[in-house]
Amino acid sequence: QLQLQESGPGLVKPSETLSLTCTVPSGTLSGGNYYWGWIRQSPGKGPEWIGNVYYSGVTYYNPSLESRVTISMGPSSSQFSLSVNSVTAADTAVYYCAGCVVGSNRFDYWGQGTPVTVSS
Amino acid sequence: SYVLTQPPSVSVAPGQTARITCGGNNIGSKSVHWYQHKAGQAPILVLYGDYGRPSGIPARFSGSKSGNAATLTISRVEAGDEADYFCHVWDSSDDHVFGSGTKVTVL
């Protein structure tokens, strides 16, 4: 069972940038077997897909968030990252990182999630 | 945009059967995945591709589709099955879409 772990600030001020990192077991990211994604869940709502990144750096984003979101590999070889700029209270959510088997379009592995609150 | 609709809650007595529906336009043509999510824990894939069960998932969890709905059935419900369950499809226009989630309460 693959273990994923999200990390980052739990509180972000409105209009600033939310930055999170997901750490996976060493050697996993470069295998090419998975897309690596970010998903969030706001209070009282269902999960919302944010986007995916492939080990090559190719990215796929939710069209509704694409203008504010960047997902990238790194900073280390066992991490990938999420950045959401110009945040508002609507970005308050639990953020999950997940692994999606290439060709399956399902998320086989998830992190426990990290709560992020946008507030001044 | 593509929408998946789930009932907010389902209650079931231990040993009985819980059925959780996921409605969506033309869902019959899409591959449906189901996840179990307990508070504070990582979501777990319990069904993939409508009917497939990942390794380690009991056979009590099964899937079906009819018309514009997919159904996750949990047979012989146990206290440990109490969780939120959400469905998921990949749509060519909207990419990954998730249902609103159903809270299963074991009475």
Side-chain angles (χ1 to χ4, degrees):
Chain A
Q1 187 76 359
L2 215 54
Q3 303 268 8
L4 285 73
Q5 181 65 60
E6 306 87 351
S7 59
L11 181 64
V12 183
K13 290 182 168 54
S15 80
E16 296 190 346
T17 297
L18 177 163
S19 296
L20 298 174
T21 298
C22 181
T23 302
V24 305
S26 180
T28 305
L29 288 183
S30 59
N33 296 321
Y34 298 95
Y35 288 101
W36 302 99
W38 289 94
I39 295 151
R40 70 182 184 180
Q41 187 166 18
S42 302
K45 296 186 177 181
E48 178 182 35
W49 174 69
I50 300 171
N52 286 355
V53 62
Y54 194 50
Y55 82 103
S56 61
V58 173
T59 52
Y60 306 86
Y61 296 122
N62 185 327
S64 69
L65 296 169
E66 187 168 12
S67 63
R68 298 192 295 125
V69 168
T70 302
I71 298 175
S72 59
M73 301 300 291
S76 80
S77 61
S78 61
Q79 294 176 319
F80 62 101
S81 301
L82 169 70
S83 176
V84 182
N85 60 38
S86 304
V87 296
T88 69
D91 295 306
T92 293
V94 178
Y95 285 75
Y96 300 89
C97 60
C100 175
V101 174
V102 171
S104 74
N105 287 319
R106 67 179 190 256
F107 292 98
D108 285 65
Y109 305 108
W110 297 65
Q112 286 188 309
T114 187
V116 177
T117 300
V118 178
S119 175
S120 55
Chain B
S1 61
Y2 194 77
V3 176
L4 293 173
T5 301
Q6 297 183 239
S9 62
V10 167
S11 297
V12 59
Q16 299 304 303
T17 297
R19 293 181 179 86
I20 305 157
T21 58
C22 174
N25 185 40
N26 200 29
I27 200 171
S29 67
K30 303 183 189 300
S31 186
V32 183
H33 317 299
W34 290 92
Y35 304 86
Q36 177 193 70
H37 187 204
K38 297 181 180 180
Q41 299 184 19
I44 296 172
L45 179 71
V46 294
L47 283 182
Y48 65 88
D50 302 334
Y51 316 108
R53 273 182 292 107
S55 174
I57 300 301
R60 300 185 298 105
F61 289 80
S62 63
S64 61
K65 284 200 297 191
S66 179
N68 280 328
T71 300
L72 168 67
T73 300
I74 310 173
S75 305
R76 301 180 300 283
V77 166
E78 303 172 357
D81 297 331
E82 187 162 285
D84 291 329
Y85 292 83
F86 54 91
C87 54
H88 161 220
V89 303
W90 182 84
D91 176 79
S92 58
S93 299
D94 295 286
D95 289 298
H96 297 277
V97 179
F98 293 93
S100 48
T102 298
K103 181 175 179 58
V104 171
T105 300
V106 181
L107 301 171

Coordinates of all heavy atoms in Angstrom, one line a residue, chain A residues 39-83:
Chain A
I39 N -6.7 16.7 -4.9 CA -8.1 16.7 -4.8 C -8.5 17.5 -3.5 O -7.7 17.3 -2.5 CB -8.7 15.3 -4.8 CG1 -8.4 14.6 -6.1 CG2 -10.2 15.3 -4.5 CD1 -8.3 13.1 -6.0
R40 N -9.5 18.3 -3.5 CA -9.9 18.9 -2.3 C -11.4 18.7 -2.0 O -12.2 18.4 -2.8 CB -9.6 20.4 -2.4 CG -10.5 21.2 -3.3 CD -10.1 22.7 -3.4 NE -11.0 23.4 -4.2 CZ -10.9 24.8 -4.5 NH1 -9.9 25.4 -3.9 NH2 -11.8 25.4 -5.2
Q41 N -11.7 18.9 -0.7 CA -13.1 18.7 -0.2 C -13.4 19.8 0.7 O -12.9 19.9 1.8 CB -13.3 17.4 0.4 CG -14.8 17.1 0.7 CD -15.1 15.6 1.0 OE1 -14.2 14.9 1.3 NE2 -16.3 15.3 0.9
S42 N -14.3 20.7 0.3 CA -14.8 21.8 1.2 C -15.8 21.3 2.1 O -16.5 20.3 1.8 CB -15.3 22.9 0.3 OG -14.4 23.4 -0.6
P43 N -16.0 22.0 3.2 CA -17.0 21.5 4.2 C -18.4 21.3 3.6 O -18.9 22.2 2.9 CB -17.0 22.6 5.2 CG -15.6 23.2 5.1 CD -15.3 23.1 3.7
G44 N -19.0 20.1 3.8 CA -20.3 19.9 3.3 C -20.5 19.6 1.8 O -21.6 19.5 1.3
K45 N -19.3 19.5 1.1 CA -19.4 19.2 -0.3 C -18.6 17.9 -0.7 O -17.9 17.4 0.1 CB -18.8 20.4 -1.1 CG -19.5 21.7 -0.9 CD -18.9 22.8 -1.9 CE -19.7 24.1 -1.8 NZ -19.1 25.1 -2.7
G46 N -18.9 17.5 -1.9 CA -18.1 16.3 -2.4 C -16.7 16.7 -2.8 O -16.4 17.9 -2.9
P47 N -15.8 15.7 -3.0 CA -14.5 16.0 -3.5 C -14.5 16.8 -4.8 O -15.4 16.6 -5.6 CB -13.8 14.6 -3.6 CG -14.7 13.8 -2.7 CD -16.1 14.3 -2.8
E48 N -13.5 17.6 -5.0 CA -13.3 18.3 -6.3 C -11.9 18.1 -6.8 O -10.9 18.3 -6.1 CB -13.5 19.8 -6.0 CG -13.3 20.7 -7.3 CD -13.4 22.1 -7.0 OE1 -13.1 22.6 -5.9 OE2 -13.9 22.9 -7.9
W49 N -11.8 17.5 -8.0 CA -10.5 17.3 -8.6 C -9.8 18.6 -9.0 O -10.5 19.5 -9.6 CB -10.6 16.4 -9.8 CG -9.4 16.2 -10.6 CD1 -8.3 15.5 -10.2 CD2 -9.1 16.7 -11.9 NE1 -7.3 15.5 -11.2 CE2 -7.8 16.2 -12.3 CE3 -9.8 17.5 -12.8 CZ2 -7.2 16.5 -13.5 CZ3 -9.2 17.8 -14.0 CH2 -7.9 17.3 -14.4
I50 N -8.5 18.8 -8.6 CA -7.8 20.0 -8.9 C -6.9 19.8 -10.1 O -6.9 20.7 -11.0 CB -6.9 20.5 -7.7 CG1 -7.8 20.7 -6.5 CG2 -6.1 21.7 -8.1 CD1 -7.0 20.9 -5.2
G51 N -6.2 18.8 -10.2 CA -5.4 18.5 -11.3 C -4.4 17.4 -11.1 O -4.3 16.8 -10.0
N52 N -3.7 16.9 -12.2 CA -2.8 15.8 -12.1 C -1.4 16.3 -12.8 O -1.4 17.1 -13.6 CB -3.3 14.6 -12.9 CG -4.4 13.9 -12.2 OD1 -4.7 14.2 -11.1 ND2 -4.9 12.9 -12.9
V53 N -0.4 15.6 -12.4 CA 0.9 15.8 -13.0 C 1.5 14.4 -13.3 O 1.4 13.5 -12.5 CB 1.9 16.6 -12.1 CG1 2.2 16.0 -10.8 CG2 3.2 17.0 -12.9
Y54 N 2.2 14.3 -14.4 CA 2.9 13.0 -14.7 C 4.4 13.2 -14.4 O 4.8 14.4 -14.3 CB 2.7 12.7 -16.2 CG 3.1 11.3 -16.6 CD1 2.7 10.2 -15.9 CD2 3.9 11.1 -17.7 CE1 3.0 8.9 -16.3 CE2 4.3 9.8 -18.1 CZ 3.8 8.7 -17.4 OH 4.2 7.5 -17.8
Y55 N 5.1 12.2 -14.2 CA 6.5 12.3 -13.8 C 7.3 13.2 -14.8 O 8.3 13.8 -14.4 CB 7.1 10.9 -13.6 CG 7.6 10.3 -14.9 CD1 9.0 10.3 -15.2 CD2 6.7 9.7 -15.8 CE1 9.4 9.7 -16.3 CE2 7.2 9.1 -16.9 CZ 8.5 9.1 -17.2 OH 9.0 8.5 -18.3
S56 N 6.8 13.2 -16.1 CA 7.6 14.0 -17.1 C 7.3 15.5 -16.9 O 8.0 16.3 -17.6 CB 7.1 13.5 -18.5 OG 5.7 13.8 -18.6
G57 N 6.3 15.8 -16.1 CA 6.0 17.2 -15.9 C 4.7 17.6 -16.6 O 4.3 18.8 -16.4
V58 N 4.2 16.8 -17.4 CA 2.9 17.1 -18.1 C 1.8 17.2 -17.1 O 1.7 16.4 -16.2 CB 2.6 16.0 -19.1 CG1 1.2 16.2 -19.7 CG2 3.6 15.9 -20.2
T59 N 1.0 18.2 -17.2 CA -0.1 18.5 -16.3 C -1.4 18.6 -16.9 O -1.6 18.8 -18.1 CB 0.2 19.9 -15.6 OG1 0.4 20.9 -16.6 CG2 1.4 19.8 -14.7
Y60 N -2.4 18.3 -16.1 CA -3.9 18.3 -16.5 C -4.6 19.0 -15.3 O -4.4 18.6 -14.2 CB -4.4 16.9 -16.7 CG -3.6 16.1 -17.7 CD1 -2.5 15.3 -17.2 CD2 -4.0 16.0 -19.0 CE1 -1.8 14.6 -18.1 CE2 -3.2 15.3 -19.9 CZ -2.1 14.6 -19.4 OH -1.4 13.8 -20.3
Y61 N -5.4 20.0 -15.7 CA -6.1 20.8 -14.6 C -7.6 20.8 -14.8 O -8.1 20.7 -15.9 CB -5.5 22.2 -14.6 CG -4.1 22.4 -14.3 CD1 -3.2 23.0 -15.2 CD2 -3.6 22.0 -13.1 CE1 -1.9 23.2 -14.9 CE2 -2.2 22.1 -12.8 CZ -1.4 22.8 -13.7 OH -0.1 22.9 -13.4
N62 N -8.3 21.0 -13.7 CA -9.7 21.3 -13.7 C -9.9 22.6 -14.4 O -9.3 23.6 -13.9 CB -10.2 21.3 -12.3 CG -11.7 21.4 -12.2 OD1 -12.3 22.1 -13.0 ND2 -12.3 20.8 -11.2
P63 N -10.7 22.7 -15.4 CA -10.8 24.0 -16.1 C -11.3 25.1 -15.2 O -10.9 26.3 -15.5 CB -11.9 23.7 -17.2 CG -11.8 22.2 -17.5 CD -11.4 21.6 -16.1
S64 N -12.1 24.8 -14.2 CA -12.6 25.8 -13.3 C -11.5 26.4 -12.4 O -11.7 27.5 -11.8 CB -13.7 25.3 -12.5 OG -13.3 24.3 -11.5
L65 N -10.4 25.7 -12.3 CA -9.3 26.2 -11.4 C -8.0 26.5 -12.1 O -7.1 27.1 -11.6 CB -9.0 25.2 -10.3 CG -10.2 24.8 -9.4 CD1 -9.8 23.6 -8.5 CD2 -10.4 26.0 -8.4
E66 N -8.0 26.2 -13.4 CA -6.7 26.2 -14.1 C -6.0 27.5 -14.1 O -4.8 27.6 -14.1 CB -7.0 25.8 -15.6 CG -5.8 25.6 -16.5 CD -6.1 25.0 -17.8 OE1 -7.3 24.9 -18.1 OE2 -5.1 24.5 -18.5
S67 N -6.7 28.6 -14.1 CA -6.1 29.9 -14.1 C -5.3 30.3 -12.9 O -4.5 31.2 -12.8 CB -7.1 31.0 -14.4 OG -8.1 31.1 -13.3
R68 N -5.6 29.6 -11.8 CA -5.0 29.9 -10.5 C -4.1 28.8 -9.9 O -3.5 28.9 -8.9 CB -6.0 30.2 -9.4 CG -6.9 31.4 -9.7 CD -7.7 31.8 -8.5 NE -8.7 30.8 -8.1 CZ -8.7 30.3 -6.9 NH1 -7.9 30.7 -6.0 NH2 -9.7 29.4 -6.6
V69 N -4.0 27.7 -10.6 CA -3.4 26.5 -10.1 C -2.1 26.1 -10.8 O -2.1 26.2 -12.1 CB -4.4 25.3 -10.1 CG1 -3.7 24.0 -9.8 CG2 -5.5 25.5 -9.1
T70 N -1.1 25.7 -10.1 CA 0.1 25.1 -10.7 C 0.4 23.8 -9.9 O 0.5 23.8 -8.7 CB 1.3 26.0 -10.7 OG1 1.0 27.2 -11.4 CG2 2.5 25.3 -11.3
I71 N 0.6 22.7 -10.6 CA 1.0 21.4 -10.0 C 2.3 21.1 -10.7 O 2.5 21.1 -11.9 CB 0.0 20.3 -10.2 CG1 -1.3 20.7 -9.5 CG2 0.5 19.0 -9.7 CD1 -2.4 19.7 -9.7
S72 N 3.3 20.7 -9.9 CA 4.6 20.4 -10.5 C 5.3 19.3 -9.7 O 5.0 19.0 -8.5 CB 5.5 21.7 -10.4 OG 5.6 22.1 -9.1
M73 N 6.3 18.7 -10.3 CA 7.1 17.7 -9.6 C 8.2 18.4 -8.8 O 8.7 19.4 -9.2 CB 7.8 16.8 -10.7 CG 6.9 16.0 -11.6 SD 5.7 14.9 -10.7 CE 6.9 13.7 -10.1
G74 N 8.5 17.9 -7.7 CA 9.5 18.5 -6.8 C 8.8 19.1 -5.6 O 7.6 19.1 -5.4
P75 N 9.6 19.7 -4.6 CA 11.0 20.1 -4.8 C 12.1 18.9 -4.7 O 13.1 19.1 -5.3 CB 11.3 21.0 -3.6 CG 10.2 20.6 -2.6 CD 9.1 20.1 -3.4
S76 N 11.7 17.8 -4.1 CA 12.7 16.7 -4.1 C 12.2 15.6 -5.0 O 11.1 15.7 -5.6 CB 12.8 16.1 -2.7 OG 11.8 15.3 -2.4
S77 N 13.0 14.6 -5.2 CA 12.6 13.5 -6.2 C 11.5 12.6 -5.7 O 11.0 11.8 -6.4 CB 13.9 12.7 -6.5 OG 14.3 12.1 -5.3
S78 N 11.1 12.8 -4.4 CA 10.0 12.0 -3.9 C 8.8 12.9 -3.5 O 8.0 12.5 -2.7 CB 10.5 11.2 -2.6 OG 10.9 12.1 -1.6
Q79 N 8.7 14.1 -4.1 CA 7.7 15.0 -3.8 C 7.1 15.6 -5.1 O 7.7 15.8 -6.1 CB 8.2 16.2 -2.9 CG 8.6 15.7 -1.6 CD 9.2 16.9 -0.7 OE1 9.9 17.7 -1.3 NE2 8.9 16.9 0.5
F80 N 5.8 16.0 -5.0 CA 5.2 16.9 -6.0 C 4.4 17.9 -5.2 O 4.0 17.7 -4.1 CB 4.3 16.1 -7.0 CG 3.1 15.3 -6.4 CD1 1.9 15.8 -6.6 CD2 3.3 14.1 -5.9 CE1 0.8 15.1 -6.1 CE2 2.2 13.4 -5.4 CZ 0.9 13.9 -5.5
S81 N 4.1 19.0 -5.9 CA 3.6 20.2 -5.2 C 2.3 20.8 -5.9 O 2.1 20.6 -7.1 CB 4.6 21.3 -5.2 OG 5.8 20.8 -4.5
L82 N 1.6 21.5 -5.1 CA 0.4 22.3 -5.5 C 0.6 23.7 -5.1 O 1.0 24.0 -4.0 CB -0.8 21.7 -4.8 CG -2.1 22.5 -5.0 CD1 -2.6 22.5 -6.4 CD2 -3.2 22.0 -4.0
S83 N 0.2 24.6 -6.0 CA 0.2 26.0 -5.7 C -1.2 26.6 -6.2 O -1.5 26.4 -7.4 CB 1.4 26.7 -6.4 OG 1.3 28.1 -6.2

